[in-house]
Amino acid sequence: MTACLHVNRLLFVQMTKAVGIIPARWSSTRFPGKPLYHIVNKPLLQRVFERCRPAKNLDSIIIATDDMRIAEAAFDWGAEVALTSPRHPNGTDRVAEVARNAKQFAFVVNIQGDEPLIDPHLIDRLVEKLRSDRQIEIVTAAHPFENPADASSPHQVKVAVDASGCALYFSRAAIPYPRNPKKIKYLRHQGIYGFRRDALLQFVKWKQGPLERAESLEQLRALENGVSVHVLLTRHGSPGVDTPADAEALEQKLARAQGRTRSR
């Protein structure tokens, strides 16, 4: 009886283990070398890694990269690194390569390597949602725009959700159409995803559909193949760093915050 209980406990732990994988590449049309760009004397990717560490529901955090400059820097921070193929077209495929060989994890959280203020509590919420509801295969997050005018930017992805909290559609356009702008609350999609491992491995096998190609948004691949994407709504989100200008703005914000902390 004791042996059976021990085996069952081990199986349960394995069935609920979660890994956070941060894909990072050197090449970027808008911002080459972005992962190692220093923001207040610390590389951007290191800031993301350190924000993930307090997440209580992650059993492991892995940086997935095809670049030895990134790998060597991450080793110096004490991060676990997985070297991946340089041929991946996007971060999800890079994450899936690591997950394919990490069979001990039931859940995989794809954490963007350019969100240095990612909330560890949000990561925990994504894992909790997957653990508590077996019907959910993919979960992501969204929040209201602080400045509604930002919804018009094609660089800010919007999402519309149904009554059960599942995504109806993701778009670079402002959705829904604002027939009465005063009554519209646009939701900004935050690019973090929690997957059941099998769902992730299936996701990367599907070919791009016409909606994904039109919007250049890979999350539409799930909807085009009939898979629901649950959306956790939060009050606030964390800004991403897409361009050098974004990095400068974030650096100024962090510097001001550090200045206020020292003056207290």
Side-chain angles (χ1 to χ4, degrees), residues 103-165:
K103 299 179 181 179
Q104 70 272 34
F105 298 108
F107 310 118
V108 181
V109 183
N110 179 352
I111 301 163
Q112 301 298 306
D114 58 5
E115 291 207 8
L117 299 181
I118 185 71
D119 185 354
H121 298 297
L122 175 59
I123 297 172
D124 284 337
R125 285 186 62 193
L126 264 66
V127 176
E128 287 168 4
K129 195 66 181 177
L130 290 168
R131 285 176 175 165
S132 64
D133 191 337
R134 294 184 179 182
Q135 300 301 313
I136 294 176
E137 297 182 276
I138 305 174
V139 59
T140 188
H143 61 90
F145 278 91
E146 290 186 14
N147 181 1
D150 289 340
S152 63
S153 169
H155 302 300
Q156 300 285 346
V157 179
K158 279 68 66 175
V159 59
V161 299
D162 66 16
S164 64

Side-chain angles (χ1 to χ4, degrees), residues 18-78:
V19 59
I21 302 178
I22 309 171
R25 65 189 182 103
W26 186 271
S27 301
S28 171
T29 304
R30 290 183 290 179
F31 199 164
K34 180 169 64 172
L36 299 187
Y37 181 89
H38 276 64
I39 296 179
V40 191
N41 302 318
K42 191 175 288 187
L44 172 64
L45 183 60
Q46 184 179 358
R47 288 189 173 277
V48 178
F49 172 71
E50 290 178 353
R51 289 285 293 182
C52 294
R53 293 182 73 177
K56 297 177 181 179
N57 287 337
L58 291 182
D59 297 283
S60 184
I61 304 168
I62 301 172
I63 291 176
T65 185
D66 61 349
D67 193 285
M68 283 307 300
R69 289 166 291 188
I70 295 173
E72 289 171 1
F75 281 134
D76 289 341
W77 313 327

